[in-house]
Short mmCIF file of all heavy atoms in Angstrom, two decimals:
data_model
loop_
_atom_site.label_atom_id
_atom_site.label_comp_id
_atom_site.label_asym_id
_atom_site.label_seq_id
_atom_site.Cartn_x
_atom_site.Cartn_y
_atom_site.Cartn_z
N LEU A 941 0.82 -1.21 0.00
CA LEU A 941 0.00 0.00 0.00
C LEU A 941 0.85 1.26 0.00
O LEU A 941 0.46 2.29 -0.56
CB LEU A 941 -0.96 -0.01 1.19
CG LEU A 941 -1.98 -1.14 1.22
CD1 LEU A 941 -2.98 -0.94 2.35
CD2 LEU A 941 -2.71 -1.27 -0.10
N ALA A 942 2.03 1.19 0.60
CA ALA A 942 2.95 2.33 0.55
C ALA A 942 3.37 2.62 -0.89
O ALA A 942 3.51 3.78 -1.29
CB ALA A 942 4.17 2.05 1.43
N GLN A 943 3.59 1.57 -1.67
CA GLN A 943 3.94 1.75 -3.08
C GLN A 943 2.76 2.31 -3.87
O GLN A 943 2.92 3.20 -4.72
CB GLN A 943 4.38 0.41 -3.67
CG GLN A 943 5.63 -0.16 -3.02
CD GLN A 943 5.96 -1.56 -3.52
OE1 GLN A 943 6.03 -1.79 -4.71
NE2 GLN A 943 6.15 -2.49 -2.61
N ILE A 944 1.57 1.78 -3.59
CA ILE A 944 0.37 2.27 -4.28
C ILE A 944 0.14 3.74 -3.97
O ILE A 944 -0.22 4.54 -4.85
CB ILE A 944 -0.85 1.43 -3.87
CG1 ILE A 944 -0.72 0.00 -4.42
CG2 ILE A 944 -2.15 2.06 -4.36
CD1 ILE A 944 -1.71 -0.97 -3.83
N ALA A 945 0.35 4.14 -2.71
CA ALA A 945 0.15 5.53 -2.30
C ALA A 945 1.07 6.48 -3.07
O ALA A 945 0.68 7.61 -3.37
CB ALA A 945 0.36 5.67 -0.80
N CYS A 946 2.26 6.02 -3.40
CA CYS A 946 3.18 6.86 -4.17
C CYS A 946 2.70 7.07 -5.60
O CYS A 946 3.07 8.05 -6.25
CB CYS A 946 4.58 6.22 -4.20
SG CYS A 946 5.50 6.42 -2.67
N VAL A 947 1.87 6.17 -6.09
CA VAL A 947 1.40 6.27 -7.47
C VAL A 947 0.12 7.08 -7.57
O VAL A 947 -0.02 7.95 -8.43
CB VAL A 947 1.17 4.87 -8.07
CG1 VAL A 947 0.62 4.96 -9.50
CG2 VAL A 947 2.47 4.08 -8.07
N VAL A 948 -0.87 6.81 -6.69
CA VAL A 948 -2.17 7.47 -6.83
C VAL A 948 -2.49 8.46 -5.72
O VAL A 948 -3.48 9.19 -5.82
CB VAL A 948 -3.31 6.43 -6.93
CG1 VAL A 948 -3.13 5.57 -8.16
CG2 VAL A 948 -3.40 5.57 -5.69
N ASN A 949 -1.69 8.49 -4.65
CA ASN A 949 -1.83 9.49 -3.58
C ASN A 949 -3.28 9.62 -3.08
O ASN A 949 -3.88 10.68 -3.13
CB ASN A 949 -1.33 10.84 -4.09
CG ASN A 949 -1.26 11.91 -3.01
OD1 ASN A 949 -1.27 13.09 -3.31
ND2 ASN A 949 -1.20 11.53 -1.75
N PRO A 950 -3.86 8.51 -2.58
CA PRO A 950 -5.25 8.58 -2.10
C PRO A 950 -5.35 9.29 -0.76
O PRO A 950 -4.37 9.39 -0.01
CB PRO A 950 -5.63 7.10 -1.95
CG PRO A 950 -4.34 6.44 -1.58
CD PRO A 950 -3.27 7.17 -2.37
N GLN A 951 -6.55 9.78 -0.46
CA GLN A 951 -6.80 10.30 0.89
C GLN A 951 -6.91 9.16 1.89
O GLN A 951 -6.57 9.35 3.07
CB GLN A 951 -8.11 11.09 0.90
CG GLN A 951 -8.12 12.35 0.07
CD GLN A 951 -9.53 12.87 -0.10
OE1 GLN A 951 -10.29 12.39 -0.93
NE2 GLN A 951 -9.90 13.86 0.71
N ALA A 952 -7.41 8.02 1.43
CA ALA A 952 -7.66 6.91 2.36
C ALA A 952 -7.59 5.57 1.65
O ALA A 952 -7.83 5.46 0.45
CB ALA A 952 -9.04 7.07 3.00
N PHE A 953 -7.25 4.55 2.43
CA PHE A 953 -7.42 3.16 2.04
C PHE A 953 -8.62 2.63 2.81
O PHE A 953 -8.69 2.77 4.04
CB PHE A 953 -6.19 2.33 2.39
CG PHE A 953 -4.99 2.60 1.53
CD1 PHE A 953 -3.94 3.36 2.01
CD2 PHE A 953 -4.92 2.11 0.23
CE1 PHE A 953 -2.83 3.61 1.21
CE2 PHE A 953 -3.82 2.35 -0.57
CZ PHE A 953 -2.77 3.11 -0.08
N VAL A 954 -9.57 2.04 2.10
CA VAL A 954 -10.74 1.44 2.73
C VAL A 954 -10.59 -0.07 2.63
O VAL A 954 -10.48 -0.62 1.53
CB VAL A 954 -12.04 1.90 2.05
CG1 VAL A 954 -13.25 1.24 2.70
CG2 VAL A 954 -12.16 3.42 2.12
N ILE A 955 -10.55 -0.73 3.78
CA ILE A 955 -10.28 -2.17 3.83
C ILE A 955 -11.59 -2.93 4.00
O ILE A 955 -12.33 -2.71 4.97
CB ILE A 955 -9.33 -2.51 5.00
CG1 ILE A 955 -8.10 -1.59 5.01
CG2 ILE A 955 -8.92 -3.98 4.92
CD1 ILE A 955 -7.21 -1.72 3.80
N GLY A 956 -11.87 -3.82 3.06
CA GLY A 956 -13.10 -4.61 3.11
C GLY A 956 -12.83 -6.07 2.83
O GLY A 956 -11.69 -6.53 2.85
N GLY A 957 -13.88 -6.82 2.57
CA GLY A 957 -13.75 -8.26 2.35
C GLY A 957 -13.94 -9.03 3.64
O GLY A 957 -13.94 -8.47 4.74
N GLY A 958 -14.06 -10.35 3.51
CA GLY A 958 -14.34 -11.19 4.66
C GLY A 958 -13.32 -11.08 5.78
O GLY A 958 -13.66 -11.12 6.96
N MET A 959 -12.05 -10.91 5.43
CA MET A 959 -11.02 -10.87 6.46
C MET A 959 -11.07 -9.58 7.27
O MET A 959 -10.60 -9.53 8.41
CB MET A 959 -9.64 -11.05 5.83
CG MET A 959 -8.64 -11.69 6.78
SD MET A 959 -7.26 -12.45 5.91
CE MET A 959 -6.42 -11.04 5.28
N ALA A 960 -11.66 -8.53 6.70
CA ALA A 960 -11.77 -7.27 7.42
C ALA A 960 -12.71 -7.38 8.61
O ALA A 960 -12.72 -6.51 9.48
CB ALA A 960 -12.26 -6.18 6.47
N LYS A 961 -13.50 -8.48 8.67
CA LYS A 961 -14.39 -8.68 9.81
C LYS A 961 -13.61 -8.89 11.11
O LYS A 961 -14.17 -8.79 12.20
CB LYS A 961 -15.30 -9.88 9.56
CG LYS A 961 -16.30 -9.67 8.43
CD LYS A 961 -17.15 -10.90 8.18
CE LYS A 961 -18.12 -10.69 7.02
NZ LYS A 961 -18.91 -11.90 6.72
N ALA A 962 -12.30 -9.16 10.99
CA ALA A 962 -11.47 -9.25 12.19
C ALA A 962 -11.39 -7.91 12.90
O ALA A 962 -11.04 -7.83 14.08
CB ALA A 962 -10.07 -9.75 11.82
N GLY A 963 -11.70 -6.82 12.18
CA GLY A 963 -11.82 -5.52 12.80
C GLY A 963 -10.54 -4.71 12.89
O GLY A 963 -9.67 -4.78 12.01
N ASP A 964 -10.41 -3.97 13.99
CA ASP A 964 -9.33 -2.99 14.14
C ASP A 964 -7.94 -3.60 14.08
O ASP A 964 -6.98 -2.93 13.71
CB ASP A 964 -9.49 -2.22 15.45
CG ASP A 964 -10.69 -1.29 15.44
OD1 ASP A 964 -11.16 -0.96 14.32
OD2 ASP A 964 -11.16 -0.89 16.52
N ILE A 965 -7.80 -4.87 14.46
CA ILE A 965 -6.48 -5.50 14.43
C ILE A 965 -5.90 -5.47 13.01
O ILE A 965 -4.68 -5.33 12.82
CB ILE A 965 -6.53 -6.94 14.98
CG1 ILE A 965 -5.11 -7.52 15.11
CG2 ILE A 965 -7.42 -7.83 14.11
CD1 ILE A 965 -5.07 -8.88 15.80
N VAL A 966 -6.77 -5.59 12.00
CA VAL A 966 -6.31 -5.55 10.61
C VAL A 966 -5.79 -4.15 10.28
O VAL A 966 -4.69 -3.98 9.75
CB VAL A 966 -7.45 -5.94 9.65
CG1 VAL A 966 -7.03 -5.75 8.19
CG2 VAL A 966 -7.88 -7.38 9.89
N ILE A 967 -6.58 -3.14 10.60
CA ILE A 967 -6.19 -1.76 10.33
C ILE A 967 -4.89 -1.41 11.05
O ILE A 967 -3.97 -0.82 10.48
CB ILE A 967 -7.30 -0.79 10.76
CG1 ILE A 967 -8.56 -1.00 9.91
CG2 ILE A 967 -6.82 0.65 10.67
CD1 ILE A 967 -8.44 -0.55 8.49
N GLU A 968 -4.81 -1.79 12.31
CA GLU A 968 -3.66 -1.40 13.13
C GLU A 968 -2.35 -1.98 12.61
O GLU A 968 -1.34 -1.26 12.50
CB GLU A 968 -3.89 -1.83 14.58
CG GLU A 968 -4.99 -1.03 15.28
CD GLU A 968 -5.44 -1.67 16.58
OE1 GLU A 968 -4.85 -2.71 16.97
OE2 GLU A 968 -6.39 -1.15 17.20
N VAL A 969 -2.34 -3.26 12.26
CA VAL A 969 -1.09 -3.88 11.84
C VAL A 969 -0.68 -3.41 10.44
O VAL A 969 0.51 -3.23 10.16
CB VAL A 969 -1.18 -5.43 11.90
CG1 VAL A 969 -2.10 -5.97 10.83
CG2 VAL A 969 0.20 -6.05 11.82
N VAL A 970 -1.65 -3.17 9.58
CA VAL A 970 -1.32 -2.67 8.24
C VAL A 970 -0.84 -1.23 8.32
O VAL A 970 0.16 -0.86 7.67
CB VAL A 970 -2.54 -2.78 7.30
CG1 VAL A 970 -2.24 -2.15 5.95
CG2 VAL A 970 -2.93 -4.24 7.12
N ARG A 971 -1.51 -0.40 9.11
CA ARG A 971 -1.11 1.00 9.23
C ARG A 971 0.28 1.12 9.84
O ARG A 971 1.07 1.98 9.43
CB ARG A 971 -2.14 1.75 10.08
CG ARG A 971 -1.83 3.24 10.24
CD ARG A 971 -3.04 4.01 10.73
NE ARG A 971 -3.73 3.33 11.81
CZ ARG A 971 -4.99 3.57 12.15
NH1 ARG A 971 -5.70 4.46 11.48
NH2 ARG A 971 -5.55 2.93 13.14
N LYS A 972 0.60 0.26 10.80
CA LYS A 972 1.93 0.30 11.42
C LYS A 972 3.02 0.12 10.38
O LYS A 972 3.98 0.89 10.32
CB LYS A 972 2.04 -0.79 12.49
CG LYS A 972 3.41 -0.84 13.17
CD LYS A 972 3.52 -2.01 14.14
CE LYS A 972 3.77 -3.31 13.42
NZ LYS A 972 4.12 -4.42 14.36
N HIS A 973 2.88 -0.89 9.54
CA HIS A 973 3.92 -1.15 8.56
C HIS A 973 3.85 -0.19 7.37
O HIS A 973 4.89 0.13 6.78
CB HIS A 973 3.84 -2.61 8.09
CG HIS A 973 4.28 -3.57 9.14
ND1 HIS A 973 5.58 -3.68 9.55
CD2 HIS A 973 3.57 -4.46 9.91
CE1 HIS A 973 5.69 -4.61 10.49
NE2 HIS A 973 4.48 -5.08 10.72
N PHE A 974 2.67 0.29 7.04
CA PHE A 974 2.55 1.32 6.00
C PHE A 974 3.40 2.53 6.40
O PHE A 974 4.13 3.08 5.57
CB PHE A 974 1.09 1.71 5.83
CG PHE A 974 0.88 2.89 4.91
CD1 PHE A 974 0.80 2.72 3.54
CD2 PHE A 974 0.76 4.18 5.42
CE1 PHE A 974 0.61 3.80 2.69
CE2 PHE A 974 0.57 5.27 4.59
CZ PHE A 974 0.49 5.08 3.22
N SER A 975 3.31 2.92 7.65
CA SER A 975 4.06 4.09 8.13
C SER A 975 5.56 3.88 8.02
O SER A 975 6.31 4.84 7.80
CB SER A 975 3.69 4.39 9.58
OG SER A 975 2.31 4.72 9.69
#
């Protein structure tokens, strides 16, 4: 996602799909490494 952000510079990433039902743990671990 860090690479994608360099190409399209979005305001936000919206995470969906069945695995996103795990909730905030998904957002937190992805955002940590994105940073």
Side-chain angles (χ1 to χ4, degrees):
L941 298 187
Q943 297 174 51
I944 292 168
C946 283
V947 178
V948 298
N949 188 202
Q951 295 167 279
F953 288 104
V954 179
I955 311 296
M959 208 159 69
K961 293 177 182 178
D964 291 341
I965 187 173
V966 174
I967 295 290
E968 291 166 3
V969 70
V970 175
R971 181 164 44 200
K972 179 185 78 170
H973 289 291
F974 173 85
S975 298

